[in-house]
Amino acid sequence: METSIIKSQAYGKDRVRVVRVVRHPDSWQEIADYSVCVLLSGEAFESSYTKGDNKMVVATDSQKNVVYYLAKTLPADRVMVPEVFASEIAAFMVKKYSHVTTCHVKITAKPWERMRFEGKAHPHSFSREGKETRWTEAFVTRKGDGLSVRMNSGFYDLEVLKTTNSSFTDFWRDELTTLPEMADRVLSTKVLCQWTFVSDDLEALRAAPFDRIFAGAKRNTLDVFANDPRAWVHASVQSALYVMADRILNDFADVDDVYYALPNIHYFPFDLSKFGLKNLQADAQVYMPIADPSGYITATISRPPKGKI
């Protein structure tokens, strides 16, 4: 007889591909292209694991159907913003099924850029180029007579590189240190940025300027990387990360905290001294990209508690 207990559980439908097209009367059209994951959890589902009892199990196929049903029946502005759509799906599940404690919905947005011809945006044609991916996830939980929501949003695979104005000096040195100090270097990373919202007022949170926050977070990330002197004058990737996150928190009051992961993709000058050529330090012009191993810098930045600023 089994004696183990279930510590946590969740189940649902992953990789639900849904595309919503909005057609305006003037022939202008918009598109949202999502991959959706829906996960349900609650004590009522434990018997499906321990006893093989499926009576309380909402079929994953039904969860898939909810995604398409809401994509069709919700007003367009509730679908075209991924944060709002994720919260709508999660809230629908918790409200409809009283035995669901928490619904976790994650949406990855597939980017489509509107085509432009002779400087004019095309009304209904789009193209996809290699770029960062936007995503969001909402956790809606039953809380007394109401709902609480925690939402994470962000982007990943934003690749950036600069050929100067990055340094790494004055770091810890001992008998195991072989890395030389670098007063100037090539810096490249593939940015993962995530920000968090927490609220007991679902409708108020849905009114947050999610698209503007996404655009602002990307803009701040790129601007700090390229232009902010605090991010490169005798500093490290850590200092750039901190300034990026601090800007987002200062620009957007709805955001509770910001997380970054910045792998340091190395470009090392190739030693050409065997051929009588100088290519190190200030003479460096030819580099060898090194994918593995790479540095990996992460942090979560938040506002200080009130009264401790």
Side-chain angles (χ1 to χ4, degrees):
M1 180 177 179
E2 296 84 2
T3 58
S4 303
I5 63 171
I6 293 177
K7 190 172 182 179
S8 65
Q9 43 83 11
Y11 80 101
K13 203 71 163 181
D14 195 10
R15 299 181 183 179
V16 180
R17 290 298 310 279
V18 57
V19 173
R20 175 72 152 88
V21 176
V22 179
R23 297 181 172 89
H24 298 281
D26 61 356
S27 80
W28 188 263
Q29 301 190 7
E30 301 174 64
I31 186 172
D33 187 343
Y34 297 144
S35 178
V36 182
C37 175
V38 182
L39 297 173
L40 306 182
S41 59
E43 289 185 5
F45 300 120
E46 290 189 3
S47 60
S48 67
Y49 293 85
T50 60
K51 300 177 181 179
D53 183 353
N54 294 330
K55 291 184 178 62
M56 303 305 289
V57 173
V58 180
T60 64
D61 190 67
S62 302
Q63 297 177 47
K64 174 206 69 179
N65 292 341
V66 167
V67 173
Y68 291 106
Y69 171 81
L70 292 177
K72 176 66 176 180
T73 59
L74 284 171
D77 61 353
R78 297 266 172 162
V79 179
M80 303 305 284
V81 179
E83 286 86 351
V84 176
F85 190 42
S87 73
E88 289 280 4
I89 297 169
F92 180 93
M93 292 293 191
V94 175
K95 290 177 180 178
K96 182 170 180 61
Y97 303 107
S98 60
H99 56 293
V100 173
T101 301
T102 299
C103 179
H104 171 198
V105 176
K106 182 174 182 178
I107 294 179
T108 302
K110 306 294 183 181
W112 288 104
E113 295 288 334
R114 192 175 295 276
M115 291 185 185
R116 301 185 69 87
F117 299 93
E118 298 180 352
K120 295 180 62 176
H122 196 277
H124 59 255
S125 295
F126 306 83
S127 64
R128 181 179 293 167
E129 298 180 0
K131 59 180 296 185
E132 78 285 348
T133 297
R134 180 179 177 179
W135 67 278
T136 191
E137 60 183 351
F139 298 81
V140 174
T141 300
R142 197 180 307 279
K143 186 176 181 181
D145 294 331
L147 302 174
S148 67
V149 59
R150 178 169 64 86
M151 185 177 292
N152 300 316
S153 294
F155 56 84
Y156 59 87
D157 285 352
L158 176 63
E159 294 191 61
V160 293
L161 180 149
K162 59 182 177 180
T163 56
T164 188
N165 285 352
S166 175
S167 63
F168 187 52
T169 61
D170 198 30
F171 51 88
W172 183 282
R173 305 195 72 87
D174 59 26
E175 70 277 8
L176 297 175
T177 304
T178 58
L179 184 71
E181 295 204 350
M182 289 171 279
D184 194 40
R185 61 177 178 171
V186 173
L187 177 63
S188 179
T189 187
K190 186 179 288 188
V191 179
L192 183 155
C193 178
Q194 171 184 307
W195 48 94
T196 301
F197 313 89
V198 179
S199 179
D200 290 332
D201 190 335
L202 188 56
E203 283 304 314
L205 181 59
R206 285 173 177 160
F210 295 113
D211 288 343
R212 190 159 60 84
I213 293 171
F214 168 75
K218 180 181 175 182
R219 181 186 65 249
N220 281 329
T221 298
L222 296 175
D223 187 47
V224 170
F225 181 84
N227 299 318
D228 196 307
R230 293 171 296 172
W232 53 265
V233 177
H234 305 299
S236 60
V237 176
Q238 285 88 331
S239 64
L241 182 158
Y242 177 78
V243 176
M244 291 171 183
D246 183 66
R247 280 200 187 184
I248 295 172
L249 289 169
N250 284 317
D251 284 354
F252 302 107
D254 294 298
V255 173
D256 286 273
D257 58 51
V258 179
Y259 169 82
Y260 273 99
L262 302 177
N264 192 349
I265 302 170
H266 299 296
Y267 286 71
F268 290 129
F270 192 81
D271 187 356
L272 294 170
S273 60
K274 294 178 181 178
F275 311 107
L277 300 173
K278 294 181 179 180
N279 193 57
L280 301 177
Q281 301 296 335
D283 298 309
Q285 292 178 314
V286 178
Y287 298 84
M288 179 173 60
I290 303 294
D292 302 308
S294 68
Y296 194 73
I297 295 86
T298 72
T300 300
I301 312 299
S302 63
R303 296 184 182 83
K306 291 182 179 179
K308 294 188 177 181
I309 298 178

